[in-house]
Amino acid sequence: MSTLADLLARETREGELYDVLPDGRLRCYACGHECPLPNGAIGVCKVRFNDGGRLRVPWGYVGGVQCDPIEKKPFFHAYPGALAYSFGMLGCDLHCAYCQNWVTSQALRDPAAVAPPTHASPEAMVQDARRLGARVLVSTYNEPLITSEWAVSIFKEAKAAGLVTGFVSNGNGTPRVLEYLRPLIDLYKVDLKSFDDRHYRELGGRIGPILDTIRRLHAMNVWVEIVTLLIPGFNDSVDELTRLTDFLANVSPGIPWHVTAFHGDYKMHDTPDTTPEMLMEAADIGHRAGLKFVYAGNLPGQVGSLEDTRCSSCDETVIARSGYRIRDYRITPNGCCPSCGTPVPGRFDGHFAGQIASHPRVIRLR
Ligand code: SF4
């Protein structure tokens, strides 16, 4: 019987993000590992491999498709209320013990993670997204960088159809993959999991490429929002959160920072859940660092006004939320605060069409 890995090895085509090294190995540039791959070798991600001097990469399937409110990604400053057609493949270049998408991300590492792939084409996915009223297509669930060629093929179709595109990613990029994505990507959420390189090494990465990705995306004018899952005892020290938020404010004080609550998942069930008080203390640190838009997530109704967007000048509430639901939308057609006229950074339509989806919905590809 074929294993999942055998099956996926057939669902590939030649990739574009690699070079042949002088010694004949291939160097992959899809993520910050930049694996050097001798013939027959597979990358850390377990989905890209050297087959006779050509890099084979995932192609032609999805591990899952879901219609989500864009607030779930979370993007709070991009097309509020829009429906985000969200797709993922399988595999990841990190191996976080607390992963909340482990069925898709760890499918190739962990026999307990089972996520059978479904055949798909970019044309069918974009048609499906339009039929369902999606404004945005997002590559998510597994790590999208390691399947960038597939995402780009879908984003080309999506752009031709007038849709917005985005990644929900760990940010472990390279200059080359970011340049590759640049013409076709509008939104990018980075999970900044820690501000300690030792912690990143425990998760299988390094902090350097992630910080570089955040800086580059902002310089490229891609709309960036950052999420930090606050894990008690792992990344919640005042010192670490101060350094993390200082870094973000230094890139731009207008970058939204979402600090979200952890609950036991995957291999990390012994760590206590994050409390509302912990989120609010972390948010205070972000505000003190100079960040203008700090949000507390995963505990709706328990974090005061930290679910709302407030004007950075006059403190007026310009979007009120509860969880993924928009309770009030007051941004002007030209993207400003209705009270004082200060621009709200982000990507906003001139007209708020109401919220298309306030609950996630799993769908089957047609
Ligand atoms: S995507 Fe990353 S982990 Fe996978 S082969 Fe390329 S560099 Fe290595």
Side-chain angles (χ1 to χ4, degrees):
M1 199 175 74
S2 292
T3 64
L4 181 58
D6 294 336
L7 189 70
L8 293 183
R10 293 197 291 273
E11 306 289 329
T12 62
R13 66 180 255 181
E14 186 179 359
E16 297 181 297
L17 291 161
Y18 78 97
D19 284 340
V20 181
L21 298 175
D23 62 8
R25 292 182 301 170
L26 306 182
R27 169 89 67 197
C28 175
Y29 294 98
C31 89
H33 290 309
E34 299 195 359
C35 297
L37 299 169
N39 189 19
I42 192 162
V44 172
C45 58
K46 308 233 183 276
V47 294
R48 299 166 75 93
F49 56 95
N50 179 344
D51 181 28
R54 288 170 191 243
L55 188 75
R56 304 292 302 183
V57 306
W59 195 265
Y61 76 88
V62 288
V65 182
Q66 187 164 306
C67 274
D68 286 336
I70 195 164
E71 286 73 20
K72 179 171 185 285
K73 303 292 95 188
F75 287 113
F76 275 15
H77 289 235
Y79 309 100
L83 189 154
Y85 186 92
S86 307
F87 63 92
M89 298 187 95
L90 297 174
C92 190
D93 54 330
L94 302 183
H95 47 78
C96 308
Y98 55 83
C99 183
Q100 302 192 346
N101 283 324
W102 64 280
V103 172
T104 43
S105 71
Q106 302 303 316
L108 281 303
R109 280 197 186 87
D110 187 337
V114 177
T118 306
H119 283 283
S121 72
E123 297 79 9
M125 290 175 66
V126 170
Q127 274 175 20
D128 209 36
R130 293 188 69 191
R131 178 181 66 81
L132 292 161
R135 176 89 166 83
V136 185
L137 253 84
V138 180
S139 184
T140 176
Y141 305 132
N142 73 319
E143 173 47 48
L145 286 166
I146 68 174
T147 49
S148 285
E149 288 94 340
W150 173 241
V152 156
S153 72
I154 296 166
F155 288 176
K156 281 180 182 161
E157 287 289 325
K159 285 279 165 203
L163 300 177
V164 174
T165 60
F167 263 22
V168 169
S169 163
N170 62 30
N172 187 26
T174 65
R176 181 143 156 199
V177 73
L178 298 178
E179 285 300 332
Y180 179 72
L181 294 168
R182 180 180 192 161
L184 291 159
I185 197 162
D186 302 297
L187 316 173
Y188 204 118
K189 191 215 81 176
V190 175
D191 252 315
L192 182 54
K193 297 166 190 290
S194 166
F195 210 72
D196 183 330
D197 192 53
R198 281 172 312 155
H199 287 160
Y200 262 105
R201 285 176 194 267
E202 285 171 30
L203 309 177
R206 294 175 294 130
I207 195 170
I210 290 146
L211 302 187
D212 190 52
T213 293
I214 293 170
R215 286 191 204 96
R216 283 177 189 272
L217 287 168
H218 180 71
M220 286 176 177
N221 202 28
V222 175
W223 179 252
V224 179
E225 302 199 20
I226 306 290
V227 171
T228 301
L229 182 69
L230 194 70
I231 303 176
F234 177 70
N235 60 2
D236 63 340
S237 75
V238 172
D239 172 62
E240 183 164 347
L241 292 174
T242 301
R243 287 183 293 115
L244 187 152
T245 50
D246 280 348
F247 164 80
L248 293 179
N250 195 261
V251 177
S252 168
I255 291 181
W257 182 50
H258 304 255
V259 58
T260 60
F262 164 85
H263 60 268
D265 215 327
Y266 195 33
K267 294 179 178 171
M268 212 157 154
H269 283 282
D270 297 334
T271 304
D273 291 355
T274 313
T275 63
E277 293 72 30
M278 290 173 184
L279 287 187
M280 290 191 270
E281 280 168 29
D284 274 349
I285 293 172
H287 283 132
R288 283 201 297 276
L291 290 173
K292 294 179 176 173
F293 303 99
V294 177
Y295 301 102
N298 289 354
L299 294 175
Q302 299 176 61
V303 290
S305 62
L306 286 168
E307 296 182 85
D308 301 337
T309 300
R310 302 169 85 94
C311 173
S312 60
S313 289
C314 71
D315 210 35
E316 181 80 9
T317 300
V318 293
I319 305 176
R321 301 182 189 81
S322 179
Y324 307 141
R325 194 169 62 82
I326 295 178
R327 291 189 291 110
D328 194 17
Y329 183 94
R330 302 188 58 230
I331 295 182
T332 64
N334 59 346
C336 296
C337 169
S339 288
C340 71
T342 299
V344 182
R347 303 286 185 270
F348 300 101
D349 282 326
H351 168 66
F352 177 58
Q355 189 160 29
I356 308 298
S358 56
H359 299 287
R361 185 157 53 100
V362 177
I363 57 168
R364 283 189 184 281
L365 262 180
R366 284 194 165 183

